[in-house]
Amino acid sequence: MSPVASPVIVVIEDDPAIRLFLRKGLGAHGFKVFEAELGRQGIVEASIRKPDLIILDLGLPDMEGVAVIKAIREWSAMPIIILSARSAEQHKIEALDAGADDYLTKPFGLGELLARIRVEMRHSVSSPEQDQSGIFMTGAMKVDLLKRQVVVGDRDVHLTPIQYRLLSVLIKNAGKVLTHQYILKEVWGPSYRDNSHYLRIYMSQLRQKLETDPTQPQYLLTESGVGYRLKV
Amino acid sequence: MAMLTVGVLISNLTANMRSQAKVAGHRERRATVLYAMSRDMTAGQSEDEIVRSAVHHLYSEFGSRNVILFPDVNGRIMYPTGRAIPESLQAADRSVAQWVMDHNELAGQGTHTLPGAEAVYFPLSNKEATLGVLVLLPVNLRRVFLPEQQKLLETFLGQIAQAIIRVRLTEQARKAQVEMEAERLRNSLLSSISHDLRTPLATIVGSASALVEDDNALKPEDKLELSRAIYDEGLRMSSLVNNILDMARLDAGAVELNKQWYPLEEIIGTVLTRLQKRLAGRRVTVKLPPGIPMIYADAMMVEQVLINLLENVLRYTPEHSTVEILAKASASTVEISVADQGPGIPAGCESKLFEKFYRVRHEAAQSGVGLGLAICRAIIVAHGGSIRAQNRPTGGAEFSFMIPQGHTPPVLGQEQ
């Protein structure tokens, strides 16, 4: 084994069976897992274990998930992945806007969880735009962030300024879910927060230019009821 | 003398004839009044309608404001609620009415019981029970208590009571019918749920027990296969439970639509991404006319409709067959269709398909509770649209739904 310490994850979840599955599943993939049943306990664990990532269930008996996120965000930017029930989109959005980094809807598989964790761990180490080369690549898409050039396959793609800004916000957060609110604020500024249809129209234009088939997108994925995600 | 006798006789005769003519006139008028009353009483479709026309007839015949009071479930006389009747009496004494209700006897002004009361209180009853109390505020007591008039009033009361009993019985029969229907649905839900949830549960419990009680007898590939069965059946149960919960939420009217403008390709894209794994091996063609307008809808709901339609395609049509998603727009609507190359819909089933728990073949291997299409219909109806199923002339089934646009889709100005 490598001498590097295993990454630490704190799981805040009241259901013992889910905790068991996370402990065993994540343990088998080289993570050291600490558990908390309640929100208050979870905040303490998050401060003393110095975890690389937190997994937080939104349905805790003692406090709102959003309150836990806010408490942790007062002193740490560590990645937080939330677990939530289906048809609770509003709760997911609130948690993401409060500072959570991504979410999973129960029931979920270990594979999906590991993929989310990998994206978060990568982001907390370095962001793609800080890469030496300044080049972002996924699938057949290549974006040169210094020269502002976009290539799909062997095709040069010309983007309008807003389309490019939208794409660069997605690249900066590649692999992560972004809420409509967040993207609107980043691309258009705070006064456009209620114009979700702007975003949808530009996203559709971007898909027309970047995707082979916009109805079967490979890169620009919609997270229904929540936002968008650039697939990596 | 003879002249006098004749004179008196004639005068008596004329008086008699006049009074007879008067009586005949009264009788005729009463007959007309009774006829009008009984016609309205027979025609009345609801208790409210009957009470309204009774109050009206009583007012025009007796010139008296009046009100009919009914007891609540505990037998306590209540003041009427709802829209006021113009001829209605506002000042009925509830305690007098209660006495009349309890004793099934007349009371109030001009009677032996509580003669101090301003109005007259009549029990409204048939042979079996007292239904309520008529309270009449007489302008002229004689007009109510003249024998002829009293007889007419009794006939009125009899007719009102009969009419009320009639609509109550009809209402009871209707309720019983509704309850029977609900009971039938509940039973069918229970049998569906017990079958469809128990089957995957049996697999999960069985496979898991084999893994738990394994004394190293299972080969690694066996373990993997059992684990996979648990995983697959768990997912299937999850989707069944979601369907049942969705239907319950839609039925309860607990769903609020979050309508916004969406490009159609985004909705279709989300659905195809979500079903990517399961659609692998099928050819999916999406044909959207260029420039098709955005749709004004709750995207997650419309996605659910498309997912349910595509899941049916996966379930009932041969692997590797093509599925098409088509759309067309008119000035005020957008229509989306999912067309397959499967066996099509058995003739006569086209509309039954959208009923809850309906399945073309009942105990078939295909999983499902028979809720998918009912959910689709509930969602589309909530959008003010419609959904239909038909066979394609070239073979296969086609499900189409239409969503009205309401107003003009927004357009962005050219970017500077």
Side-chain angles (χ1 to χ4, degrees):
Chain A
M1 284 302 281
S2 73
V4 180
S6 347
V8 174
I9 292 181
V10 165
V11 171
I12 312 174
E13 158 72 73
D14 60 318
D15 186 68
I18 305 260
R19 282 206 308 275
L20 169 75
F21 140 63
L22 293 175
R23 184 170 68 234
K24 298 287 177 193
L26 294 173
H29 284 82
F31 293 95
K32 199 167 165 48
V33 178
F34 292 97
E35 299 168 39
E37 290 178 45
L38 297 170
R40 247 173 283 283
Q41 204 185 329
I43 295 169
V44 174
E45 288 289 306
S47 71
I48 58 174
R49 304 293 180 190
K50 311 227 173 322
D52 298 282
L53 185 138
I54 288 180
I55 294 173
L56 167 68
D57 176 42
L58 278 190
L60 294 172
D62 69 325
M63 58 193 287
E64 295 282 327
V66 169
V68 178
I69 296 166
K70 283 183 177 157
I72 293 172
R73 281 288 170 262
E74 278 176 20
W75 47 270
S76 170
M78 64 177 84
I80 302 175
I81 294 177
I82 52 175
L83 308 179
S84 83
R86 182 174 161 272
S87 63
E89 271 60 37
Q90 200 47 44
H91 291 139
K92 290 173 199 162
I93 293 171
E94 280 164 19
L96 291 167
D97 285 337
D101 295 274
D102 214 324
Y103 71 92
L104 276 173
T105 304
K106 289 180 184 176
F108 58 86
L110 188 63
E112 297 166 75
L113 177 61
L114 288 169
R116 296 281 195 278
I117 292 175
R118 273 196 293 271
V119 167
E120 291 310 325
M121 299 284 235
R122 196 163 53 220
H123 271 284
S124 61
V125 178
S126 74
S127 313
E129 86 272 20
Q130 290 165 338
D131 286 358
Q132 296 291 313
S133 59
I135 287 177
F136 172 83
M137 281 174 73
T138 180
M141 180 166 76
K142 188 171 134 187
V143 181
D144 187 327
L145 293 155
L146 299 175
K147 295 184 189 155
R148 296 185 157 232
Q149 274 175 350
V150 182
V151 178
V152 175
D154 49 9
R155 184 166 56 90
D156 276 328
V157 179
H158 174 75
L159 298 181
T160 68
I162 292 184
Q163 288 166 358
Y164 183 80
R165 218 180 314 156
L166 175 56
L167 180 62
S168 66
V169 167
L170 289 163
I171 289 175
K172 201 157 77 180
N173 299 283
K176 288 173 65 160
V177 63
L178 302 179
T179 63
H180 296 125
Q181 294 277 301
Y182 177 85
I183 303 176
L184 280 165
K185 191 167 64 95
E186 291 291 305
V187 177
W188 282 273
S191 55
Y192 281 81
R193 289 174 66 118
D194 295 327
N195 294 303
S196 299
H197 66 271
Y198 269 47
L199 174 54
R200 283 190 207 107
I201 293 172
Y202 275 98
M203 193 57 86
S204 146
Q205 294 172 354
L206 212 48
R207 283 195 180 115
Q208 299 284 352
K209 290 187 177 176
L210 300 178
E211 302 282 3
T212 318
D213 177 358
T215 61
Q216 308 203 34
Q218 303 302 306
Y219 312 118
L220 306 168
L221 306 186
T222 307
E223 291 285 325
S224 195
V226 176
Y228 294 99
R229 187 195 299 275
L230 175 63
K231 195 176 168 193
V232 285
Chain B
M1 185 62 196
M3 282 297 280
L4 186 66
T5 317
V6 170
V8 169
L9 206 71
I10 287 176
S11 122
N12 271 353
L13 273 175
T14 0
N16 217 347
M17 268 170 68
R18 228 183 279 130
S19 122
Q20 265 176 18
K22 208 170 151 193
V23 168
H26 275 306
R27 270 199 200 128
E28 193 192 328
R29 217 181 56 77
R30 261 202 306 277
T32 316
V33 167
L34 260 175
Y35 173 70
M37 170 90 169
S38 96
R39 191 194 47 207
D40 283 1
M41 291 297 102
T42 342
Q45 291 299 312
S46 69
E47 203 167 316
D48 182 62
E49 203 180 316
I50 282 165
V51 168
R52 275 171 189 280
S53 73
V55 168
H56 171 76
H57 279 292
L58 286 162
Y59 179 77
S60 52
E61 181 51 29
F62 299 96
S64 310
R65 288 194 170 274
N66 64 90
V67 65
I68 299 175
L69 303 178
F70 292 100
D72 65 7
V73 282
N74 303 316
R76 298 229 327 268
I77 286 286
M78 305 294 290
Y79 286 123
T81 51
R83 201 155 49 93
I85 308 169
E87 300 89 352
S88 179
L89 170 68
Q90 305 286 348
D93 184 330
R94 206 157 56 162
S95 53
V96 182
Q98 190 67 56
W99 189 92
V100 172
M101 178 77 208
D102 296 343
H103 294 81
N104 195 20
E105 271 177 45
L106 203 65
Q109 201 189 155
T111 72
H112 300 298
T113 316
L114 304 163
E118 223 185 328
V120 198
Y121 295 72
F122 300 88
L124 186 65
S125 51
N126 70 348
K127 283 183 217 102
E128 284 90 40
T130 312
L131 305 173
V133 178
L134 165 70
V135 188
L136 201 76
L137 186 67
V139 187
N140 176 353
L141 213 53
R142 263 174 52 88
R143 230 176 121 179
V144 177
F145 285 114
L146 263 179
E148 285 291 339
Q149 285 295 92
Q150 210 175 341
K151 214 185 261 169
L152 180 65
L153 185 58
E154 269 163 28
T155 317
F156 265 28
L157 285 169
Q159 283 192 343
I160 299 168
Q162 224 172 34
I164 287 173
I165 299 262
R166 175 179 56 80
V167 292
R168 282 188 184 172
L169 286 176
T170 315
E171 177 62 18
Q172 258 174 33
R174 198 190 58 81
K175 266 195 191 143
Q177 182 66 37
V178 169
E179 264 164 38
M180 243 173 64
E181 188 66 16
E183 182 64 25
R184 198 185 59 79
L185 262 180
R186 251 195 308 276
N187 286 340
S188 125
L189 172 68
L190 280 178
S191 73
S192 279
I193 290 183
S194 45
H195 175 260
D196 294 305
L197 291 184
R198 271 188 194 140
T199 313
L201 261 180
T203 311
I204 292 170
V205 171
S207 308
S209 75
L211 290 170
V212 168
E213 287 154 21
D214 172 35
D215 297 322
N216 287 324
L218 289 171
K219 284 178 269 175
E221 59 265 35
D222 296 337
K223 286 188 191 173
L224 185 65
E225 206 172 321
L226 289 171
S227 309
R228 193 172 296 281
I230 295 175
Y231 182 44
D232 289 345
E233 292 303 281
L235 287 178
R236 197 172 118 193
M237 263 188 85
S238 166
S239 114
L240 287 174
V241 169
N242 285 342
N243 267 348
I244 292 165
L245 293 180
D246 282 350
M247 195 70 246
R249 283 197 319 145
L250 284 161
D251 268 354
V255 175
E256 226 172 273
L257 294 184
N258 174 18
K259 284 200 208 172
Q260 294 185 33
W261 289 104
Y262 291 90
L264 207 48
E265 59 180 40
E266 178 165 310
I267 290 180
I268 295 171
T270 310
V271 169
L272 294 182
T273 307
R274 188 109 70 91
L275 295 179
Q276 205 166 32
K277 268 190 208 145
R278 295 167 60 195
L279 283 169
R282 302 231 178 201
R283 228 165 63 103
V284 182
T285 354
V286 181
K287 287 184 197 151
L288 302 181
I292 188 158
M294 297 205 282
I295 66 165
Y296 190 62
D298 185 319
M300 295 188 68
M301 294 273 172
V302 176
E303 283 160 23
Q304 191 61 55
V305 172
L306 281 169
I307 286 173
N308 290 2
L309 294 179
L310 287 169
E311 279 181 339
N312 276 351
V313 171
L314 286 168
R315 210 171 274 154
Y316 298 110
T317 68
E319 276 180 64
H320 308 300
S321 64
T322 300
V323 48
E324 286 175 88
I325 301 175
L326 315 156
K328 58 179 184 232
S330 76
S332 56
T333 62
V334 170
E335 188 179 75
I336 302 160
S337 311
V338 173
D340 65 44
Q341 295 180 334
I345 306 152
C349 289
E350 290 86 348
S351 59
K352 274 197 215 143
L353 288 175
F354 296 99
E355 283 171 20
K356 271 177 241 175
F357 310 116
Y358 182 83
R359 279 178 290 190
V360 175
R361 277 178 301 278
H362 250 266
E363 301 299 330
Q366 286 95 344
S367 56
V369 218
L371 279 178
L373 289 176
I375 290 172
C376 290
R377 185 174 65 177
I379 289 173
I380 296 303
V381 167
H383 277 85
S386 59
I387 185 165
R388 67 195 157 85
Q390 61 188 24
N391 284 317
R392 310 166 79 185
T394 51
E398 175 170 354
F399 288 82
S400 312
F401 59 92
M402 179 275 289
I403 291 182
Q405 286 292 63
H407 38 290
T408 330
V411 183
L412 281 190
Q414 202 58 43
E415 192 182 324
Q416 295 305 307

